[in-house]
Amino acid sequence: MRNKDVANKFYELAELAELANENSFKVKAYLEAVRVIENLLIPIEDLAKENKLTDIKGVGKGIAEKIMQYLDKGTIDRLEELKKEIPESLLELSRVPGLGAKRIKTLYTQLGIKNIEDLKREAEKGNIRNLEGFGEKTEEKILEGLNALHDKKTDRVPIGIALPIAESIVSILEEHTPVNKILIAGSIRRMKETIGDIDILVTSNEPLDVMDFVASMPVVKEVIVKGDTKTSIITKENLQVDVRVVEPDSFGAAAQYFTGSKQHNVKLREIAIKKSFKLNEYGLFDLDSGRKVAGKTEEEIYDMLGLQWIPPEMREDSGEIEAAQNSQINKLIELSDIKGDFHLHSTYSDGANTIEEMTLKAQSMGYEYIVISDHAIGLSVAKGLTMERFKEQREEIDRLNAKLKPFKIFQGVELNILSNGEVDFPLEDLKFFDICLAGIHTGMEQSVEAITERISKAINNPYIKVIVHPTGRVMGSRDLYGVDIDQIFLKARSAHTVFEINCLMKSNNYKEINASFEKLDLNDVNARKAKEKFGLLLEIGTDAHSTESMSNMRYGVGVARRAWLTKSDVINAMNLEEFENFLSKPKSQ
Ligand code: DGT
Ligand code: CA
Ligand code: CA
């Protein structure tokens, strides 16, 4: 699949086009193309072959032509023209905080600054402050930004790795330094699936002590900058961490600013300006008097701007600001709403813990029930069970249920969808289970049409209530298969079939990052589409093969929140009684 390459090329094109003063609609169209191509589940080259590129929403004739050019010869004509017009090295300047296209253009045309090196030299000579639209303060900021830049040698890492590291740093700071408030901001707070760096905000009466400590923590491999209010370090795992000390009076403004996303912030600042305010990381200020009108909490800032408070996971400029203006932000699902895990493996198949151990963990997490969904006979690599073994398992579950009442263990099964769309037990056997889940585990090399057809067949099976890891995506590597997601969503709508947000993660150890494995399937974009466009219900399952992995539920809830899901969209937010009722009814009701 070349989707990622194509998306990257369009990003390059958008950046250069912006620097070349190209029509802003065009730039926007390129960026929109980046977004849709990144989220496309079908190989783009397949669509190209069938002349169907313009079927993709957001892809018009012009863009389609450029995609064809790239697929044919590895580049886009317009991109090559632009590269002749303006030096490609200008692109690296946009990595410097505070430098947008407009300023980069001025730097280039007025001072001939073509790259980071030129920028550094001119800034140090004090030549930048005299340019129109700059000034002494900006020049200072650029130098600061340049210092912080040499560092960005770290790659993006899965949230399953970054969040635990961030949390351990937070607890070290809480224990050893005089911090009052402390918050993990940035993309982690937004629960993005990959993280560039960790951003931590604190308030403290002794900022210098905090900065000293941060620079000398045992996890530090390298100190990038150490200042009075900001220290950046690289951890031994090669992750950058920025710790900033802010005034208590500005804590809300700083939290808002450093949570991002950048696009969300840009839009918020525009709204502020329209209302004669100025918004920055220190607060919200009245433009005329310069008086600070908000800044202590995020809520008061959003409120002054005429907006509902927006949950961090929604802050991606994907309609949340408009929704907040119209009081249409609903209460999103929370981890504490989850009443059971749907997708668990025990020692009966390929899990590491017994059903009882999984149950104890579930109780400690506050759940009311779980579904044990071991593999069936068709998946021998995962020690799938025969009907006889399932009957033995049923006896154990009954025994445990008698002992643990009112907690309840349901006996499910994770069926394998075979190449012909049937599953690894005959239809009449499926009645045996409390609930049947099904997913594709084999025969993944089939065409998109064949896979779509297989899943559609499972969707229409009267006993299969849930399709697990529906798109076969594996983050950071090649997706396992391609599928026409709109078509299966449509089928699921008439068949009342539920889709899973699978949060299987084998990336809890940074050392294994290259072998790390995150599914988050459905992802945020598709889960949102499932709800908004097709009215589907979802289920969040950890696919845990050990008690430890059951804690990954929070990443699934993160995806659900990024998909704007509420409690009523997720079946394992039902309480035990509601869930039993759901199970007792046939799919069509
Ligand atoms: P990451 O680290 O790449 O996963 O993503 P973020 O969102 O954590 O980005 P980061 O660490 O560069 O910056 C944290 C937040 O600070 C970001 O979400 C928004 C804000 N921010 C940083 N630089 C700028 C900027 O130049 N303009 C605006 N408006 N906001 C910025
Ligand atoms: Ca960050
Ligand atoms: Ca940062």
Side-chain angles (χ1 to χ4, degrees):
M1 205 145 105
R2 298 178 68 189
N3 300 14
K4 189 87 204 144
D5 296 345
V6 177
N8 286 343
K9 258 303 170 268
F10 271 91
Y11 193 73
E12 211 179 315
L13 182 61
E15 287 206 297
L16 275 181
E18 192 173 22
L19 289 173
N21 248 342
E22 201 147 299
N23 183 320
S24 69
F25 289 111
K26 266 204 176 147
V27 176
K28 271 205 181 125
Y30 296 151
L31 288 173
E32 177 64 12
V34 172
R35 203 181 59 80
V36 295
I37 295 168
E38 261 179 357
N39 286 306
L40 199 65
L41 294 169
I42 315 170
I44 195 157
E45 57 273 35
D46 289 1
L47 289 173
K49 259 186 235 138
E50 295 169 26
N51 257 330
K52 280 189 176 159
L53 287 173
T54 46
D55 287 2
I56 310 172
K57 206 177 147 225
V59 172
K61 244 182 85 194
I63 301 258
E65 220 166 82
K66 292 185 172 64
I67 296 174
M68 292 302 278
Q69 286 173 1
Y70 179 70
L71 290 173
D72 281 341
K73 49 186 184 184
T75 188
I76 299 171
D77 294 348
R78 182 70 194 128
L79 183 65
E80 294 307 308
E81 286 167 26
L82 284 168
K83 281 184 187 167
K84 280 185 200 132
E85 246 176 272
I86 36 177
E88 214 177 326
S89 59
L90 282 185
L91 289 182
E92 60 182 72
L93 295 179
S94 62
R95 281 164 50 218
V96 181
L99 289 190
K102 207 166 140 197
R103 282 189 166 152
I104 294 175
K105 252 178 282 173
T106 312
L107 290 167
Y108 175 53
T109 48
Q110 304 289 317
L111 292 175
I113 293 176
K114 287 199 287 289
N115 51 38
I116 300 262
E117 223 172 279
D118 295 348
L119 180 68
K120 190 154 188 209
R121 189 190 55 239
E122 295 298 329
E124 278 166 355
K125 279 201 240 158
N127 285 342
I128 287 174
R129 67 185 71 177
N130 303 321
L131 293 176
E132 200 183 319
F134 288 73
E136 215 173 309
K137 256 228 155 105
T138 314
E139 193 179 68
E140 236 167 67
K141 270 211 153 160
I142 288 174
L143 275 170
E144 258 176 49
L146 282 171
N147 283 332
L149 206 64
H150 89 198
D151 48 270
K152 282 256 173 181
K153 45 193 152 201
T154 60
D155 287 335
R156 302 191 70 77
V157 303
I159 185 151
I161 288 171
L163 178 53
I165 292 175
E167 284 171 337
S168 76
I169 292 175
V170 165
S171 47
I172 293 172
L173 292 180
E174 279 175 333
E175 194 179 332
H176 296 286
T177 68
V179 295
N180 299 321
K181 285 193 189 136
I182 185 157
L183 176 78
I184 302 172
S187 49
I188 297 189
R189 187 161 176 238
R190 304 198 314 277
M191 291 299 276
K192 253 191 95 153
E193 57 192 28
T194 64
I195 304 300
D197 70 4
I198 297 175
D199 302 280
I200 296 176
L201 301 178
V202 305
T203 64
S204 174
N205 302 333
E206 311 286 347
L208 298 181
D209 290 0
V210 179
M211 296 288 92
D212 281 343
F213 183 85
V214 170
S216 63
M217 291 185 296
V219 294
V220 174
K221 184 173 93 182
E222 186 189 331
V223 178
I224 299 166
V225 270
K226 180 169 166 271
D228 293 350
T229 58
K230 179 188 169 190
T231 295
S232 291
I233 58 113
I234 304 272
T235 69
K236 296 213 164 90
E237 298 95 345
N238 255 344
L239 252 171
Q240 181 175 331
V241 184
D242 299 338
V243 182
R244 295 180 172 84
V245 187
V246 304
E247 292 295 324
D249 243 15
S250 300
F251 189 73
Q256 199 292 312
Y257 182 88
F258 291 109
T259 294
S261 66
K262 202 168 160 180
Q263 290 81 353
H264 175 92
N265 289 356
V266 166
K267 207 150 202 187
L268 221 57
R269 275 204 304 272
E270 283 169 11
I271 293 179
I273 288 166
K274 276 195 200 127
K275 293 188 181 289
S276 295
F277 292 127
K278 190 177 107 183
L279 177 63
N280 58 28
E281 62 264 53
Y282 304 106
L284 185 68
F285 300 86
D286 188 282
L287 258 189
D288 298 328
S289 63
R291 198 172 54 90
K292 186 165 169 175
V293 295
K296 210 174 163 115
T297 67
E298 280 191 337
E299 282 81 357
E300 64 183 27
I301 293 170
Y302 282 97
D303 191 50
M304 288 294 289
L305 295 174
L307 301 167
Q308 277 175 292
W309 178 79
I310 299 174
E313 295 89 341
M314 293 174 92
R315 300 182 195 170
E316 299 290 349
D317 186 23
S318 61
E320 76 281 4
I321 292 177
E322 293 76 6
Q325 278 170 331
N326 298 317
S327 303
Q328 283 167 346
I329 303 263
N330 297 318
K331 191 173 179 316
L332 300 182
I333 185 160
E334 289 171 17
L335 187 56
S336 59
D337 292 326
I338 299 293
K339 296 291 179 254
D341 195 331
F342 241 77
H343 194 154
L344 299 174
H345 295 278
S346 73
T347 43
Y348 274 84
S349 67
D350 58 345
N353 291 99
T354 63
I355 298 178
E356 185 160 18
E357 286 162 348
M358 302 296 269
T359 306
L360 290 175
K361 169 79 179 191
Q363 288 182 313
S364 78
M365 292 177 75
Y367 293 165
E368 296 177 9
Y369 55 90
I370 52 173
V371 178
I372 295 289
S373 44
D374 274 319
H375 298 286
I377 182 72
L379 212 58
S380 48
V381 284
K383 299 195 205 144
L385 308 185
T386 59
M387 206 32 152
E388 219 178 325
R389 283 286 284 157
F390 272 117
K391 283 182 179 151
E392 288 168 30
Q393 188 187 48
R394 168 71 81 182
E395 280 174 26
E396 180 173 345
I397 288 177
D398 286 346
R399 226 175 16 248
L400 285 169
N401 274 336
K403 191 165 98 183
L404 299 169
K405 222 173 164 185
F407 187 93
K408 190 148 178 189
I409 305 161
F410 293 95
Q411 189 180 25
V413 55
E414 180 179 10
L415 298 159
N416 185 23
I417 304 174
L418 309 174
S419 297
N420 63 3
E422 284 170 18
V423 292
D424 42 358
F425 272 130
L427 206 56
E428 63 269 19
D429 279 355
L430 302 185
K431 284 192 243 2
F432 172 83
F433 299 96
D434 294 324
I435 183 165
C436 295
L437 291 64
I440 287 188
H441 302 84
T442 51
M444 298 187 255
E445 63 295 330
Q446 284 185 326
S447 69
V448 172
E449 292 75 34
I451 298 267
T452 305
E453 182 53 36
R454 266 165 90 181
I455 298 183
S456 301
K457 221 165 160 184
I459 283 172
N460 286 325
N461 182 314
Y463 295 104
I464 295 172
K465 285 200 166 159
V466 179
I467 302 292
V468 295
H469 38 77
T471 71
R473 105 188 258 258
V474 179
M475 285 177 49
S477 64
R478 214 174 161 229
D479 290 350
L480 299 173
Y481 54 80
V483 61
D484 184 340
I485 194 84
D486 284 58
Q487 201 175 333
I488 65 167
F489 280 168
L490 194 66
K491 297 250 163 74
R493 175 159 67 185
S494 19
H496 298 266
T497 309
V498 174
F499 281 91
E500 179 177 67
I501 293 173
N502 181 295
C503 41
L504 176 66
M505 297 194 160
K506 287 188 186 155
S507 59
N508 299 337
N509 178 348
Y510 194 90
K511 289 198 195 82
E512 291 163 12
I513 185 155
N514 291 324
S516 83
F517 187 85
E518 271 190 46
K519 278 198 171 158
L520 300 182
D521 174 17
L522 300 172
N523 69 2
D524 48 4
V525 173
N526 282 321
R528 185 169 167 192
K529 190 191 233 183
K531 173 194 174 166
E532 281 181 9
K533 212 164 149 200
F534 297 91
L536 301 181
L537 287 175
L538 295 117
E539 161 263 306
I540 307 175
T542 59
D543 209 344
H545 289 66
S546 68
T547 50
E548 202 188 329
S549 313
M550 291 172 71
S551 311
N552 289 339
M553 181 58 80
R554 60 175 171 164
Y555 302 109
V557 172
V559 172
R561 291 171 61 84
R562 289 177 61 81
W564 299 30
L565 303 189
T566 66
K567 201 177 147 180
S568 57
D569 299 315
V570 176
I571 55 175
N572 45 324
M574 292 179 180
N575 65 29
L576 178 59
E577 197 187 329
E578 292 163 337
F579 185 58
E580 284 193 298
N581 191 25
F582 169 84
L583 288 184
S584 68
K585 284 195 280 196
K587 269 169 76 173
S588 57
Q589 287 167 33

